[in-house]
Each structure stands twice: as structure tokens, then as C-alpha cells.
Amino acid sequence: MMKSPRKTVIGAGLALLLAPLAYVAAQNPVKPPKPNPDAQQQPAPTEPAPQTPSAPANKPGENPPRQSDVQARITVNSNLVILPVTVKDRSGELVPDLKRDEFRVFEDNVEQHIDMFTAEAFPLSMVVLIDNDLKDKDAEKVQASLMAILGGMSTEDEAFICRFDQFFHPGKGWTADQDKLSKELKRTSLDTEADVAPPSPPFNGTPSINNHSAIDDSAIDKGAQVIKGQPTKALDDAVFAAAMLLHDRPRSRRRVILLISDGVNGGRKFNKVTTEDVIKALLAENISVYSIAVPTAYFERKISPIDKERSPLIRYANHSGGEVYHATKEQSFEEFYSRLTEEARNQYTLAYVPRGTDRSSDYHSIEVRVKREGLDIKTRDGYYSGAVPAAQRP
């Protein structure tokens, strides 16, 4: 059978076209891909894999999901009474290994069920309240030590730098930026001359509760600004104002006042609120005061344990679950800054919903016990379920 001339011509043409391609393929054979040394470490997925949220770095023994859950529950559940609890042994060292079943909590002498327990670290919201009317030697020691405050702070902590004398002098506001805090501390100058009133109002957005200003110098006798030889400092008003600055900080943070002072207080003549009012505000806001007494306060026995019921520095700390440190030299200040921030950040947290107590009462006493013997327990004395009492004053 003879082939069609047309088909013969078409076949010959295709052969001529494909010949160069066959020659190129023969000269450049397909080579297998070279092995990628990173292929085993970074494989290319054929399908998108489900993403798992990455957890932040944590210290050994911490459980990230539980940490997040605890702080979220504390923030959301306003019915919880939150107790930061510090436990130390006889040598003053923190005891970090207690379990939930070793604690017992009593409210108004009625034992409560502990609904939440954790030993995880909490970030700090800390007002640094510095006495602006110290004796020269004390002021020099405090001034030289201020930068060491940053050494005890973590990147999650925030601070508000303030000073006081007859008046309350707030700084630049809340910040966790350590560069900003460093600049502010470097610029903090402690005065030794007569007090000067701050501009009025002292700063924008003055904190208030129940429409009452938390910072009010209307009751202070302006003619006493240059009186010497008698206490003129408004210590109670300053600590109360510091407490109000902490009013809006989240419940998931530790609320702390670092008070550096000689403990001299002008009493009712120079304070609108009393020490008792301040203690009530501290308990209502769940604020712990850590007092650092300068050398003069120690050597002149202004904070003597014998007179502890009259010493504001001791009373603020004892009632709020904080601590008092007696500084005798510059190195002591630096050591105390580190110790108190560690202690405040690493307290146990116990929380419960009150049961079996009179809810119509404004004040409720609290007692925390542990089964292990020989331990010192610090927490706040109680709490107020209503408005901050000091703000009710006319």
C-alpha cells in the first residue's frame, strides 16, 4: 500500500523541527536536584499547617497556660478577694515551695475555700514615693542610690516617680520604659530648702474617687511653708495620693508603693487625711507599702519598734502586708530595692469568693495560716468592700 504524498511531506517536516530540540536535550540532560543542607531543618510543607501560639520564655517550673489563665480570671472575676501573701522562714528567706493545701484563709474568723492559688510571678505597678525634705546626709545617700531602683525591675514592671514634702509632686506618669525611667531618676533632685508648692492643679487628670480629689492641698496652712524646727511634711496625704495613682492599675498586677522617708509627719495641721484613712485606702485598693527608713529615722528612733503604733512607716507596711527596711548606708538602699521588688513580684496569690460572712459589713478582717511551723506570713489585715473611706471625708 502506497503512502499519501501529503502525509509523507508533513512527517518529514515534523522530523526536521524536532531534531534541534532532541539535540539540545541530549547535550543538557536533566540533573537531579542537589541536596539542600537545610532541607531537613526547614522542610517546605505541601499544605499550610495549623499554627500553634508560641509561649513566652518562662522560668523553670512555670506553666504558661496556667499563668495566663490565673491572671485572666483575676482580672475578670470582680467577686474574688485577692491576697498577695509573703512567707519567710526564721532567717528571713522567702519560702517558695508551699502548696495550696498548706494554706488556710479566714475572713471574719470564718474559714474560706481557696478558689485560686498560684506561686507565679506577677508584674509590678509601683509608685516610687521619695521624701523631698530629708536632712542633707540622708538626701545625699538617697540621691546616690536612686538609679539602683531599675536593677530590681523587670521589663514587665511599670513605675511612677513622685516626691513629697508639704506638697505632693507627681512625676511624668506611668511607664515601663527603662530608658525613660532612667532619665527621670537621673533628673530627680532632692531639695533641702523650704518647700515650694507645685503648680495648680499639680498635674492633669487628678485622680478622684466618688468625685473627691485624691490630691488636695486646701487644708494645708500655706503660712507654714517656711516654718522650721517642727514637722511640716504631709506624709499621710502623699501616701494617700500615691494610692490613688494605683487605683486604675489592673488587678492582675501587684500594686506597690516604695516609700523612702525619715518618717516625719506633720499630723493633722499639714495633712487632710489621717494615717488611719491612708491604711483604709491601702486595704481597699489592695496596695502593699514597702518602707525604706533613712539612717536618721533609725538612729533617732523615729521608727523604733517600741513606738511602732505611732510610726507611719511601720503602720503602712504592717497593715498592708508590706515590709520595713532600715537603711544605715548607701549600699543598704541598693540591696533593699532589689529585695523588695523580688519579694513583691514573687508572692503567693490566694483568691476566694467570700462565703458565710456578713456582706452588709464594709470591713472584713483576714487571717492567713500555714500548716508548716516556724514561718512568718505577711498579707493585708483585711479589706473594704465599699468605697475608699478616706475619699468620703468632707
Side-chain angles (χ1 to χ4, degrees):
M1 182 177 179
M2 294 184 63
K3 295 182 179 180
S4 168
R6 181 179 296 176
K7 290 182 179 179
T8 302
V9 171
I10 292 173
L14 288 174
L16 290 173
L17 290 173
L18 293 176
L21 294 176
Y23 175 78
V24 171
Q27 297 297 317
N28 298 279
V30 177
K31 298 180 181 180
K34 294 182 179 180
N36 185 349
D38 296 329
Q40 294 182 350
Q41 298 179 7
Q42 298 178 347
T46 55
E47 296 182 2
Q51 299 296 316
T52 302
S54 58
N58 291 275
K59 298 178 181 178
E62 290 183 350
N63 189 330
R66 182 167 181 78
Q67 288 179 1
S68 300
D69 179 63
V70 166
Q71 294 191 17
R73 289 170 62 191
I74 284 176
T75 303
V76 172
N77 192 342
S78 60
N79 294 323
L80 284 171
V81 176
I82 305 167
L83 298 179
V85 180
T86 301
V87 184
K88 296 182 179 180
D89 58 23
R90 289 188 176 93
S91 63
E93 298 297 324
L94 294 174
V95 179
D97 60 342
L98 292 171
K99 308 301 181 186
R100 180 200 293 252
D101 59 7
E102 295 184 82
F103 285 90
R104 298 179 68 188
V105 176
F106 295 82
E107 178 178 305
D108 298 336
N109 296 318
V110 178
E111 186 163 9
Q112 302 294 312
H113 173 73
I114 299 174
D115 296 298
M116 190 182 304
F117 170 87
T118 183
E120 71 183 60
F122 275 57
L124 304 181
S125 290
M126 180 170 65
V127 174
V128 181
L129 184 57
I130 308 167
D131 195 326
N132 195 47
D133 191 17
L134 298 171
K135 292 187 176 181
D136 290 352
K137 290 185 178 180
D138 290 336
E140 290 173 3
K141 288 183 171 63
V142 172
Q143 185 90 53
S145 72
L146 290 179
M147 290 300 298
I149 293 174
L150 295 177
M153 296 182 62
S154 76
T155 55
E156 295 183 352
D157 297 337
E158 61 178 4
F160 197 131
I161 312 298
C162 305
R163 296 176 296 117
F164 76 96
D165 34 53
Q166 266 186 250
F167 306 95
F168 180 70
H169 305 277
K172 297 183 179 298
W174 289 106
T175 181
D177 188 321
Q178 297 225 350
D179 289 336
K180 292 182 179 179
L181 287 172
S182 176
K183 291 179 181 178
E184 189 169 359
L185 287 170
K186 286 179 180 177
R187 294 172 181 173
T188 299
S189 177
L190 302 185
D191 298 329
T192 56
E193 301 299 326
D195 302 338
V196 178
S200 181
F203 63 98
N204 295 329
T206 303
S208 62
I209 291 185
N210 296 340
N211 297 320
H212 290 265
S213 174
I215 304 174
D216 189 335
D217 62 357
S218 61
I220 298 177
D221 182 1
K222 300 299 189 297
Q225 293 179 20
V226 294
I227 291 177
K228 298 298 179 182
Q230 60 179 290
T232 60
K233 280 186 284 195
L235 175 58
D236 288 325
D237 284 357
V239 177
F240 180 74
M244 295 305 99
L245 292 176
L246 286 158
H247 173 69
D248 292 326
R249 308 326 288 169
R251 282 158 53 94
S252 58
R253 304 181 70 89
R254 292 280 190 259
R255 299 174 179 179
V256 173
I257 296 175
L258 165 55
L259 173 59
I260 308 170
S261 177
D262 58 9
V264 174
N265 192 20
R268 289 294 294 174
K269 186 174 183 179
F270 298 101
N271 289 276
K272 182 179 179 180
V273 298
T274 65
T275 302
E276 286 70 26
D277 293 330
V278 175
I279 292 171
K280 290 176 182 178
L282 296 173
L283 297 180
E285 299 291 347
N286 198 11
I287 298 168
S288 298
V289 175
Y290 290 83
S291 301
I292 297 183
V294 299
T296 296
Y298 179 76
F299 291 116
E300 295 184 3
R301 303 182 68 81
K302 289 187 177 68
I303 58 166
S304 169
I306 300 175
D307 200 26
K308 63 183 179 181
E309 287 306 313
R310 294 178 57 188
S311 171
L313 297 186
I314 294 178
R315 295 189 65 193
Y316 298 151
N318 286 351
H319 287 284
S320 67
E323 186 64 271
V324 181
Y325 301 96
H326 303 159
T328 57
K329 55 185 179 180
E330 182 180 327
Q331 288 75 13
S332 297
F333 287 101
E334 298 174 358
E335 176 188 347
F336 293 153
Y337 297 150
S338 177
R339 187 189 304 178
L340 71 88
T341 50
E342 178 188 8
E343 180 177 314
R345 190 182 300 108
N346 293 285
Q347 294 171 303
Y348 293 98
T349 301
L350 282 60
Y352 65 93
V353 176
R355 301 172 178 89
T357 59
D358 183 5
R359 304 318 301 163
S360 64
S361 176
D362 288 335
Y363 176 74
H364 302 278
S365 64
I366 291 174
E367 181 185 2
V368 176
R369 306 174 188 172
V370 294
K371 297 178 181 178
R372 197 179 303 182
E373 296 183 357
L375 300 180
D376 180 39
I377 307 164
K378 288 185 179 293
T379 191
R380 53 176 171 158
D381 285 349
Y383 69 95
Y384 285 85
S385 54
V388 177
Q392 308 284 345
R393 295 179 58 83

